[in-house]
Amino acid sequence: MESGPITGPVLTDGVAGETHPRSADLSGIPAKPNPAATGENGGSFWRRFIFRRPLVALILQRFGLSVGLLFAVSLMIFGGIEALPGDFATTYLGQSATPQAVENIRKDLGLDKPWSERYLSWLGGAVTGDFGTSWASKNSVSEQIGNRLGNSLFLAFFAAIVSVPLAVGLGMLAVQFRNRLPDKIINVISLAAISLPEFFIGYLLILFFAVQLGVATFPATVYDSMSFTERLSAIALPVATLVLVVLAHMMRMTRAAILNVMSSAYVETAELKGLGTFRIIARHAAPNAVAPVINVIALNLAYLVVGVVVVEVVFVYPGMGQYMVDAVTVRDMPVVQACGLIFAAFYIFLNMAADILAILANPRLRHPR
Amino acid sequence: MPDLLSVKNLKIEATSYPPGEPPKVVTLVEGVSFNVEKGKVLGLIGESGAGKSTIGLSALAYGRGGVRITGGEVLLNGRDILKLDRSGINSVRGCHVCYVAQSAAAAFNPAHKLGDQVIEASLRHGIMSKEDAKKRALYLFRVLGLPNPESFGERYPHQVSGGQLQRAMTAMALCPNPELIVFDEPTTALDVTTQIDVLAAIKHAIEETHTAALYITHDLAVVAQISDDIMVLRQGKTVEYGTTKQVIEAPKEDYTRALVSVRQAKRDEAPDQSGTLLKIERVHAGYSNGFKVLHDVSMHLPKGQTLAIVGESGSGKSTLARVITGLLPPSEGRIVFDGKELPKALKGRSNEELRRIQMIYQMADTAMNPRQTVRDIVGRPLSFYFGMHGAKKTERVGELLDQIEMGSRFLDRYPAELSGGQKQRVAIARALAARPELILCDEPTSALDPLVAEGILNLLMKLQEETAVSYVFITHDIAIVRAIADSVAVMHRGRLVRFGPKSKVLSPPFDDYTDLLLKSVPEMEIGWLERVLKTRRMESAGN
């Protein structure tokens, strides 16, 4: 285009002739330029990929970030343990530690090699599922953890199966009866449960159900020889404790997320369609409240696996938490490292799953323009 | 035979909770009565706060937030729906009476397909089978002129444009075959060229289905095209109620006369448009994600004059303002101010360069710190650019407040204590405080009611005469362009379509886009819509 003379404005007409909409353009084809089309003429392969398959790209990105994070965590676990004062040899030998004996044990365990070499060989083993042998018991760590992890997951699984639907259901119920008696009762009870420490809830449950009423099993120790139903009855009390601990958090988040959505214009539209309250909550509000709720659920599920140390100790339950605590007291490093890494992996991948689910719940990403 | 809808002596109240004071009951609507016959359209018109939406929602026995209908009757086919219980009201809503919201983009649930939402009410009320509802939705999509009606229902709200969503919302309201539809400003959020299509589609659809309607809007020219009767409201009370012809052509009340004659102001352009204060030379600009907004834009503005930049949303007009201020450095091209090229980015500009260009925003609300008083807001540029403080600063703030016709009694008010028009005036005073040579006005009146907006425009013109300040005035409203501009730039999809003195730009021969834009502006004339549609159809037949 030629810019007009500087002396005065001159009519510049039809500068962008080819982009004019025809007068016949009454059908309302979107006048917005398509960002995907603009994005494609520049940028790398990855950039084009993001524009074409935003969902796949985002999920791949989350996955990559999680794996990277896990490596960073493994480095921190190893480094952290390296930096701890004292070592296994002196703890193991106790009073009888002569420099020569300490030196021998260190050599046996390979502690005389540089830390980078030890890290790489540990990481190489960990990637293939081999966490070495325990210093204290000389058993394979992977084998031991396999058992314990199974127990922990068993407990967490049943706690989750009870608590997640219960929390979401109670949250919806609290919204339906907002600021009325059921909402207030739910709120007070959940607040009480969240305020009491978990060991206290555990002891209260033991007192009432195992000691006074005698209907529950205590301790909750499980053996290989137990049948499935026996196991279930054994874990009833720890599951109840865990449910009470995580329920309030998820329930309150569900309530807050749905209430937030309830003030939106599309819920008003649903109300003006003459729909019933429950249908409005379940069909119009809940799908849009999914993302924040999923995040809280994932955090709590991670807690059910990672944070159950206290509950396992209270109920004498042979899970990962107890195993790790025992290992820390004797400085059995391979076990501590393995437990730490597995806990971190659970935490990271549950959060990744929550992220991915939240992305999938977003219709804008699921159905790009 | 009774009227379809008969509202008698309606009274609506709300409870407000001012901080630190006991709750106060506010009367929003009082003594309003009207009738709607079967198949007729009543237009409710008024400024914001007139209670039009509140009255419209009362036809569904609904109050937003803490709003309560406390008196009067709303008779639907002779039955008072205010006396119904919850399930009784639910059987009226979405079945006998439906609602079309102002922002369809917010009113559609983002998580469900459009088709499912359109037929939901029909299914839940058991009005028709799923098969029949789908057929009816398809029929309505066709009547409303939606593209690919067969597959339209399979799409999600974010996948279609604003104008299409507004039409889909109308289809959703029409689907259960209601007797009455409440349209709450259905075209206000749309561009003019889209508005005319939606308006025509709505008019066609309600004629085709013999549905009665309450049509709520603040734009008398729009309501004149679609309604049989008009009720003018102000502060919750009826000002005038009569047939459309009587209200438009022979208004009885002063207020109605003011509404009819507003936006007809015109100003002659400056005869001498030589000299340049601001010159925009071949500017290209885009955002960091690679999305290019402006393509080769050039224009200029003489000292003491007004350049109006007009275009629809997405045309790049606000982006151009960001480029001029330096908030968004251009990728190519130059901004020359008073004969000197300005550094591209804000960071590179000196205080003096910043002082000479000031800005007024569309939303005065969000452009002011709610925790500062008017004294602080207007005084800030005084201390920043001129180092003023104490009594001298207060005196100057007082002068500025006099200039914007508000006065020193507003010195210690907070923005929340001001009306929309007063807030925009304070924003103008803040811009003036820097003694700028150029003020960029980004749609400063589009969030205001017509009469208030007119006051702001008059103020801006008066200030231009007094201080010889230049304006770049960004707007989508051709009437404003006519009222204030010396030169005009028409923008479309990031390109300059037309630029020159107002008289030349706004007179034929036109290019296609300017022609479409000018023809789409509703005129205060009954039958305007039909006339425009006819010429458009002839043109498209000729193509």
Side-chain angles (χ1 to χ4, degrees), chain B residues 78 86 89 182 193 234 394 518-519:
Chain B
R86 174 86 198 176
I89 285 173
V182 178
T193 51
R234 191 181 196 190
T394 305
L518 289 175
K519 275 193 187 151

Side-chain angles (χ1 to χ4, degrees), chain B residues 374-375 378 382 391-409 411:
Chain B
V374 170
R375 183 200 299 268
V378 179
L382 294 177
K392 207 171 150 202
K393 184 165 127 184
T394 305
E395 191 190 330
R396 177 79 185 121
V397 173
E399 275 172 37
L400 286 163
L401 289 179
D402 286 338
Q403 250 183 319
I404 57 161
E405 299 156 3
M406 279 173 68
S408 316
R409 66 202 165 89
L411 270 177

Side-chain angles (χ1 to χ4, degrees), chain B residues 145-190:
Chain B
L146 286 164
N148 307 321
E150 289 80 12
S151 59
F152 187 79
E154 291 299 306
R155 312 185 76 178
Y156 282 82
H158 68 271
Q159 293 175 311
V160 306
S161 72
Q164 289 170 8
L165 271 184
Q166 207 68 48
R167 278 179 275 176
M169 183 111 200
T170 307
M172 183 157 84
L174 281 165
C175 188
N177 242 327
E179 295 164 277
L180 178 74
I181 299 184
V182 178
F183 289 96
D184 193 351
E185 307 242 14
T187 62
T188 305
L190 305 174

Side-chain angles (χ1 to χ4, degrees), chain B residues 92-329:
Chain B
V92 170
R93 292 178 185 162
C95 180
H96 300 286
V97 187
C98 290
Y99 180 74
V100 176
Q102 172 169 359
S103 167
F108 269 111
N109 194 325
H112 299 297
K113 288 176 186 166
L114 287 168
D116 294 341
Q117 299 190 56
V118 166
I119 62 173
E120 186 181 21
S122 309
L123 299 186
R124 300 305 296 179
H125 291 294
I127 299 166
M128 47 187 96
S129 71
K130 192 163 185 177
E131 294 282 289
D132 291 344
K134 278 189 169 167
K135 267 187 214 151
R136 180 159 171 80
L138 180 60
Y139 161 75
L140 290 168
F141 290 158
R142 284 217 177 93
V143 169
L144 288 159
L146 286 164
N148 307 321
E150 289 80 12
S151 59
F152 187 79
E154 291 299 306
R155 312 185 76 178
Y156 282 82
H158 68 271
Q159 293 175 311
V160 306
S161 72
Q164 289 170 8
L165 271 184
Q166 207 68 48
R167 278 179 275 176
M169 183 111 200
T170 307
M172 183 157 84
L174 281 165
C175 188
N177 242 327
E179 295 164 277
L180 178 74
I181 299 184
V182 178
F183 289 96
D184 193 351
E185 307 242 14
T187 62
T188 305
L190 305 174
D191 284 319
V192 275
T193 51
T194 320
Q195 161 170 295
I196 186 169
D197 292 335
V198 175
L199 206 58
I202 289 177
K203 183 163 184 171
H204 178 56
I206 53 184
E207 276 170 3
E208 190 90 338
T209 54
H210 308 291
T211 313
L214 279 180
Y215 197 100
I216 297 163
T217 176
H218 68 276
D219 191 339
L220 203 50
V222 165
V223 86
Q225 310 310 320
I226 209 160
S227 62
D228 300 291
D229 295 312
I230 290 180
M231 178 179 235
V232 182
L233 293 155
R234 191 181 196 190
Q235 290 165 4
K237 296 199 176 74
T238 311
V239 174
E240 189 162 353
Y241 180 28
T243 62
T244 301
K245 195 171 165 57
Q246 180 255 308
V247 171
I248 300 288
E249 289 172 8
K252 288 186 192 127
E253 300 293 322
D254 288 344
Y255 181 68
T256 317
R257 268 196 284 277
L259 283 183
V260 171
S261 61
V262 79
R263 291 152 50 102
Q264 292 185 355
K266 260 189 191 147
R267 180 173 105 151
D268 293 331
E269 68 194 39
D272 178 18
Q273 300 203 6
S274 59
T276 41
L277 175 70
L278 176 75
K279 190 151 169 259
I280 298 162
E281 276 180 30
R282 312 202 67 146
V283 161
H284 294 250
Y287 290 97
S288 54
N289 60 7
F291 181 56
K292 207 169 164 196
V293 186
L294 293 178
H295 306 264
D296 198 12
V297 173
S298 301
M299 56 185 81
H300 57 269
L301 167 66
K303 221 180 179 100
Q305 297 189 11
T306 303
L307 164 66
I309 302 178
V310 61
E312 304 183 353
S313 53
S315 64
K317 50 193 197 306
S318 291
T319 305
L320 185 58
R322 288 170 59 85
V323 169
I324 297 171
T325 55
L327 286 168
L328 178 73

Side-chain angles (χ1 to χ4, degrees), chain A residues 116-368:
Chain A
S116 55
E117 197 182 322
R118 278 181 289 130
Y119 171 71
L120 285 178
S121 76
W122 171 68
L123 190 68
V127 168
T128 56
D130 174 19
F131 290 101
T133 49
S134 158
W135 293 346
S137 67
K138 308 290 178 208
N139 287 331
S140 156
V141 175
S142 309
E143 222 167 83
Q144 291 264 317
I145 281 181
N147 268 335
R148 299 287 188 133
L149 187 62
N151 285 341
S152 274
L153 287 181
F154 187 68
L155 186 63
F157 177 74
F158 281 98
I161 263 196
V162 176
S163 61
V164 172
L166 194 64
V168 172
L170 283 178
M172 287 178 156
L173 206 67
V175 172
Q176 183 162 8
F177 296 98
R178 180 182 1 161
N179 296 336
R180 285 191 278 161
L181 197 61
D183 181 26
K184 284 177 182 159
I185 291 175
I186 291 173
N187 262 322
V188 167
I189 292 182
S190 65
L191 191 64
I194 215 174
S195 315
L196 288 176
E198 54 210 273
F199 69 86
F200 190 68
I201 295 179
Y203 285 131
L204 277 184
L205 290 179
I206 292 169
L207 177 65
F208 282 111
F209 291 100
V211 178
Q212 293 193 339
L213 298 173
V215 289
T217 325
F218 180 81
T221 316
V222 289
Y223 312 99
D224 290 343
S225 58
M226 284 171 111
S227 74
F228 184 68
T229 43
E230 280 173 327
R231 277 171 187 256
L232 275 191
S233 97
I235 64 165
L237 283 187
V239 163
T241 310
L242 286 174
V243 166
L244 281 175
V245 171
V246 295
L247 185 69
H249 199 192
M250 289 191 281
M251 194 254 18
R252 294 187 146 235
M253 194 64 201
T254 308
R255 180 180 182 272
I258 293 183
L259 272 185
N260 186 24
V261 173
M262 287 299 276
S263 59
S264 65
Y266 51 81
V267 167
E268 185 183 277
T269 307
E271 261 184 88
L272 292 175
K273 278 180 179 173
L275 305 181
T277 316
F278 192 74
R279 185 172 169 89
I280 293 175
I281 294 175
R283 181 163 169 84
H284 287 278
N288 295 292
V290 159
V293 174
I294 285 181
N295 268 315
V296 170
I297 288 178
L299 270 181
N300 281 290
L301 290 185
Y303 173 81
L304 284 179
V305 179
V306 175
V308 293
V309 181
V310 176
V311 173
E312 284 182 359
V313 171
V314 167
F315 287 97
V316 203
Y317 186 80
M320 284 274 282
Q322 225 189 19
Y323 188 45
M324 185 171 174
V325 171
D326 291 346
V328 168
T329 50
V330 296
R331 302 197 183 261
D332 192 347
M333 293 318 163
V335 177
V336 177
Q337 283 168 0
C339 289
L341 195 63
I342 288 172
F343 282 158
F346 264 100
Y347 214 86
I348 289 171
F349 283 100
L350 274 170
N351 275 296
M352 179 190 78
D355 265 6
I356 290 177
L357 282 176
I359 289 169
L360 287 175
N362 184 341
R364 285 167 189 275
L365 294 171
R366 221 169 347 122
H367 308 276

